Amino acid sequence: MLPWALERARALLSVRSLGGFVLYAVLFFVFIFIYKAARWWAAPEDPSIALRNADWLISAERNLGLFVVPTVQEFTQNSGLEPVSTWIYTGIHQPGYIGFFVVLWFVGRSVFPFAWRWFWVANGMAVLFFWLFPLAPPRLVPSLGLDDPTHTTLQLGGSTTWFIESDFRNVYAAMPSLHVGYPLMFATVIFFLLGARRFAWTIWLWPLLVFWSVVASANHYVLDAVGGALVVASSAWLVTIIWPNLERPWARGADRETQSFRPEGRPARLE
């Protein structure tokens, strides 16, 4: 009975069907809840640890000439671009990763299994870093005196009211920045799916704009974005090692299947 049930589940996950799509959607939101819970669990009991880590990181960025958060925030406010950065911060993050997987299900099914694992492995690695290195974002460092638009931006669409007003948050999960990491991951997949299309390079504007928005809103340091990129790169490598038979976006097969960016064929079986 159990082997038959497992085989049926695997079949449902691997065929082009409404049932498979719905099942993945349910799994996605279940995993997101687990990720949020783990992120909350990783929060430090003593906020002073996160502030000490912030002092250390700020010192490191200053030594490297990378501490630009106050400058970027001031420029954004003075140029009247704060509403734009706020919209990007609140309006792209969650819809971005949901929309990515929905589109990939229909137009890049052969690489969906790899992207699915890549996403969740990256999330798992990030939670580990949140726990090992709690970090106060620039907006929560009193000595910096930066504006804190987080409450307003969350209300604009980044989160629901119950989430804002509850304790089910980890405000010290700045390193690594998955706000930057996700778009880097998605842009990589989309870039290779687009193949030789003339304007394929424009997809890289997505992570660049998000990087600007998280710095301008004082939610992340530059090194947080570097950390996000490293998590994305290392998780891609890890998925390649653990599941070597999955088709990767940069493989020739993906290019051949999606040159016209149309849904074709069936997905690879999810083992």
Side-chain angles (χ1 to χ4, degrees):
M1 178 65 180
L2 183 58
W4 177 85
L6 290 175
E7 184 61 30
R8 289 294 298 169
R10 290 173 61 188
L12 183 60
L13 289 171
S14 64
V15 300
R16 183 185 301 278
S17 68
L18 179 60
F21 180 82
V22 171
L23 179 57
Y24 266 110
V26 171
L27 287 174
F28 184 87
F29 287 106
V30 169
F31 290 164
I32 280 292
F33 180 82
I34 293 173
Y35 162 72
K36 296 290 187 181
R39 191 174 184 267
W40 165 79
W41 171 85
E45 294 183 3
D46 183 2
S48 66
I49 298 174
L51 290 170
R52 285 198 301 270
N53 288 338
D55 289 339
W56 178 85
L57 191 76
I58 291 169
S59 177
E61 285 201 343
R62 282 177 171 151
N63 291 334
L64 294 170
L66 296 176
F67 186 63
V68 297
V69 175
T71 303
V72 173
Q73 185 175 87
E74 182 180 8
F75 168 79
T76 302
Q77 292 173 340
N78 293 340
S79 60
L81 293 173
E82 188 171 58
V84 178
S85 65
T86 297
W87 180 85
I88 292 174
Y89 181 78
T90 61
I92 289 184
H93 184 58
Q94 291 179 349
Y97 58 67
I98 295 172
F100 168 77
F101 281 109
V102 170
V103 172
L104 192 64
W105 175 268
F106 292 104
V107 304
R109 191 75 63 85
S110 67
V111 300
F112 186 94
F114 182 90
W116 176 264
R117 287 164 172 77
W118 188 7
F119 182 78
W120 295 116
V121 170
N123 277 280
M125 293 179 66
V127 169
L128 180 62
F129 279 102
F130 297 155
W131 177 58
L132 293 174
F133 190 72
L135 180 65
R139 61 185 174 80
L140 294 183
V141 178
S143 61
L144 296 179
L146 297 170
D147 288 340
D148 181 1
T150 298
H151 187 82
T152 301
T153 54
L154 286 174
Q155 286 180 320
L156 286 174
S159 189
T160 55
T161 301
W162 71 265
F163 181 77
I164 297 171
E165 296 175 352
S166 74
D167 293 327
F168 194 60
R169 297 180 60 199
N170 180 359
V171 295
Y172 302 115
M175 170 68 83
S177 170
L178 290 185
H179 266 83
V180 175
Y182 289 163
L184 280 173
M185 179 189 299
F186 304 155
T188 299
V189 174
I190 294 171
F191 178 78
F192 284 102
L193 288 180
L194 288 173
R197 286 179 177 269
R198 183 176 179 181
F199 298 106
W201 64 270
T202 59
I203 192 61
W204 297 110
L205 294 176
W206 182 3
L208 285 174
L209 286 172
V210 172
F211 171 62
W212 163 62
S213 73
V214 300
V215 174
S217 61
N219 277 285
H220 286 288
Y221 307 92
V222 171
L223 288 180
D224 294 344
V226 174
L230 291 175
V231 163
V232 165
S234 57
S235 58
W237 172 80
L238 193 59
V239 172
T240 302
I241 296 300
I242 298 175
W243 295 282
N245 295 326
L246 292 180
E247 185 171 313
R248 296 175 289 282
W250 41 88
R252 291 183 179 180
D255 263 349
R256 286 198 302 270
E257 178 187 349
T258 58
Q259 279 297 320
S260 60
F261 213 53
R262 293 183 310 223
E264 296 179 7
R266 292 185 173 183
R269 180 182 293 275
L270 295 188
E271 302 295 344

